[in-house]
C-alpha cells in the first residue's frame, strides 16, 4: 500500500455562513492541494468536507495518516460513530446526529483505506496545518465576496 499524509482544515465566516475547506495530500516528495467552498455552511461541515475530499482524491487503497485540528472530526470518527450507528444515528441526548449525511460519506471513503487519525492543535505553528488553514480561509473569503457581488 502506498503511504499518504493528508492535512485538512475548514473555515467559516460566521457559523453558519460562507465557508471553505482545504486538504493537502503528500506522498513522498509529491504534494497536491485541494480546496473549495460553500455559501451557507458551518465550520464542522467544512472540516468534514476537507477530510472527505482528501480521502476521495486517492485512486487506490492507501495507508493514510490524516491530520486535522477538528476534535469534532477526530472524536466523531474514532469514538462516537460506532455508538451513533448502534443507536440509529441518534445522539445521547436523543436528537438526530448533525451532519449525518457527511458522516455516512466519511465512513464510506475512509473504509477504503488503512487510516491513522491525528489531532493537531490549530494555530500553533504546525506548518501543514497553517497552510491548509490559509487555503480554507481564502476559500471562505472568496465565497463571501461572490455572495456580496451577487446581491
Amino acid at each position: 500500500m502506498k503511504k499518504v499524509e493528508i492535512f485538512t482544515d475548514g473555515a467559516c465566516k460566521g457559523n453558519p455562513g460562507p465557508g471553505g475547506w482545504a486538504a493537502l495530500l503528500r506522498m513522498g516528495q509529491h504534494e497536491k492541494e485541494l480546496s473549495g467552498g460553500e455559501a451557507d455552511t458551518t465550520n464542522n461541515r467544512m472540516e468534514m468536507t476537507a477530510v472527505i475530499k482528501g480521502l476521495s482524491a486517492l485512486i487506490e487503497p492507501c495507508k493514510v495518516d490524516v491530520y486535522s485540528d477538528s476534535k469534532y472530526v477526530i472524536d466523531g470518527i474514532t469514538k462516537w460513530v460506532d455508538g451513533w450507528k448502534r443507536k440509529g444515528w441518534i445522539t445521547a441526548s436523543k436528537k438526530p446526529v448533525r451532519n449525518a449525511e457527511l458522516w455516512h460519506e466519511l465512513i464510506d471513503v475512509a473504509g477504503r483505506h488503512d487510516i491513522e487519525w491525528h489531532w493537531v492543535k490549530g494555530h500553533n505553528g504546525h506548518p501543514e496545518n497553517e497552510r491548509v488553514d490559509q487555503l480554507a480561509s481564502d476559500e471562505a473569503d472568496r465565497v463571501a465576496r461572490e455572495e456580496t457581488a451577487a446581491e
Side-chain angles (χ1 to χ4, degrees):
M1 281 184 134
K2 293 179 180 171
K3 177 108 168 93
V4 178
E5 294 175 300
I6 301 178
F7 304 88
T8 66
D9 203 10
C12 212
K13 306 299 178 179
N15 201 19
W21 60 267
L24 168 64
L25 287 71
R26 180 181 292 151
M27 188 176 77
Q29 299 298 313
H30 302 284
E31 292 185 345
K32 181 175 185 173
E33 292 178 349
L34 305 172
S35 62
E38 293 180 19
D40 186 28
T41 190
T42 65
N43 189 66
N44 284 342
R45 290 184 68 81
M46 293 293 89
E47 295 279 3
M48 293 181 73
T49 299
V51 178
I52 292 166
K53 296 291 189 178
L55 290 170
S56 295
L58 302 175
I59 58 174
E60 63 186 74
C62 297
K63 183 167 178 43
V64 185
D65 284 296
V66 174
Y67 297 85
S68 173
D69 63 7
S70 171
K71 283 282 198 183
Y72 177 71
V73 170
I74 299 299
D75 288 349
I77 198 69
T78 63
K79 298 177 183 176
W80 307 332
V81 77
D82 289 333
W84 291 337
K85 287 180 189 178
R86 281 194 308 275
K87 295 176 185 172
W89 292 92
I90 300 297
T91 66
S93 60
K94 308 285 190 246
K95 295 182 180 167
V97 171
R98 288 187 181 174
N99 305 312
E101 77 286 359
L102 290 177
W103 286 113
H104 289 291
E105 193 173 350
L106 180 55
I107 291 164
D108 181 51
V109 297
R112 301 176 198 152
H113 307 286
D114 177 10
I115 300 177
E116 283 194 41
W117 301 93
H118 305 274
W119 178 77
V120 295
K121 184 172 179 152
H123 311 286
N124 199 38
H126 186 283
E128 293 85 359
N129 181 257
E130 296 292 338
R131 185 168 159 190
V132 290
D133 175 71
Q134 186 63 57
L135 288 168
S137 185
D138 290 350
E139 286 289 344
D141 288 339
R142 177 189 60 76
V143 171
R145 282 192 308 274
E146 289 174 358
E147 283 185 324
T148 301
E151 290 176 357

